[in-house]
Amino acid sequence: MTARPDLDRTARTAGDPGGEEEYRPDPRRWRALSVTLVAGFMSLLDVSIVSVALPTLQRDLGASAASVQWVVSGYALTFALMLVPAGRLGDALGRRRMFLVGLAGFVLCSAAAGAAPSVGLLIAARLAQGLAAGVLAPQNSGLIQQLFRGGERGRAFGLFGAVVGVSTAVGPIVGGLLLQVADWRWIFYVNVPIGVVAFVLAWRLLPRSGAGGRGHIDVGGVLLLGAGALALLLPLVQAEAGGLSRLWWLFPVGVLLVGGFVAWERRVVRRGGEPVFDPRLVTETRGYGLGAALGTVYFVGFSGIWLVFALFFQTGLGLTPLQSGLAVTPFALGSATAAVVAGRLVERVGRLLTVIGLVGVLTGLGATVAVLLLVPADAVPWAVAPALLVGGLGGGFVISPNITMTLRDVPVRMAGAAGGGLQTAQRFGAVIGTAALPGLFYVVLGATAQDYPAAAAAGLAVALAGIAAALVLAVVDLRRTRRQDRADAAEYGHDAVHGHGHAAHS
């Protein structure tokens, strides 16, 4: 029988002579996935759910605006710093073990955050909660790589993509609802009962196998990557408190540290060691580098728009947090629906699905900008609904297909590190977006004598630029994939390439 070109290439480029580990379908794999997705939803929801509660937090705890901002930005920072090391630990020590450790830590830190009597203790709990979420998150994509193959993997990533997209979009809605019926502490307490049930089910359902490495941890790589990421992210998460002007010198330091990290990892590979993040994932694994870059620039716009909407609807129009969240519900509904459908279509359509989705997001957000500028302010929450629905439908065709296409040729033994790297790229984009878009919002607001629609439109224009950059990368990857498929057709025969394009690239 003709060899599958993608599996041959995976074995060659990833340095795994045997290719992927032997696959035996786990009869409990779909139930296990549902448990991991619930936990993943909680960890990602906590990135955005707190945003609507910041004014209440500041008032109740007597905190400054700069300190209360750390409740959001500190979580995002430690979350991003932990993803790649935790993904590698999952590959080496077992994804089930790391998932349970991360989930237990997340539940305990959620309880501590809810009970915090001061803003200082709340920030400390949120920093620890972010670390726990960073341990938890990369195990999701690693377990999907481990548990599923073929068309099932595409559907599983479709559900995972729906969780990623919807958790970010519905955070303001859930946060507003909790503030309506309880106080801000329940934004954190709500994680505790859900997390305890998820822990019990995960203990029973997650497979005990899946540690593909030798258990060695690349400490030098972890330290260099952590220091470099911290230097690059800290000025951004402190942007609203003047971090860009005070801490600008950390950017060149971060670039040097990341360069040192790349050189270190190449040295580890040359010596036959196990790096925390194998550089060949970017340079040699088909689709990974471009997919990670696409995720970065897309999340610049995708993550930042929710803060812009919250500022516009609550500060500009005087809506309650719940009303503000409900105003963006069409995007969340469209994204959830499309992401599940996309998981089934990606097997046949491939990268073209991402291109179509990005065009939809650009169309929807472009129409949203037009509504903001042309429609009377009090009618915007209703008038903007169709445009947000179109944007959400497009967004559902972006995140899950991009995850599938980016990770399709990654060996299972490296799935955790690869998934952690992809999510780190997305977190970098999210931190940039959540700093840049609200920052521009306030700049335009001050320059236009409090013209809230113009300020919101300016913030969304930055989001559109990021999404347009993602579209360019998607088109480049689509063309490259088609060229590679033609080359594979010449080398392996038409049937092999047909299998490569229509079997979820397992």
Side-chain angles (χ1 to χ4, degrees), residues 334-345:
S335 181
T337 303
V340 175
V341 174
R344 299 179 180 274
L345 294 178

Side-chain angles (χ1 to χ4, degrees), residues 60-77:
D60 288 358
L61 296 176
S64 66
S67 62
V68 81
Q69 184 61 33
W70 265 101
V71 177
V72 175
S73 59
Y75 180 88
L77 177 64

Side-chain angles (χ1 to χ4, degrees), residues 294-388:
L294 191 159
T296 303
V297 294
Y298 179 75
F299 268 76
V300 169
F302 176 73
S303 298
I305 60 174
W306 310 114
L307 283 173
V308 171
F309 282 133
L311 290 169
F312 172 71
F313 286 128
Q314 293 181 51
T315 310
L317 301 186
L319 301 185
T320 67
L322 178 58
Q323 290 170 330
S324 172
L326 291 174
V328 297
T329 300
F331 193 104
L333 292 176
S335 181
T337 303
V340 175
V341 174
R344 299 179 180 274
L345 294 178
V346 70
E347 307 165 36
R348 300 190 298 272
V349 183
R351 179 59 79 187
L352 179 61
L353 194 61
T354 316
V355 173
I356 294 169
L358 287 166
V359 171
V361 179
L362 282 172
T363 302
L365 291 186
T368 300
V369 171
V371 170
L372 289 172
L373 295 176
L374 300 176
V375 173
D378 57 353
V380 166
W382 302 103
V384 81
L388 289 177

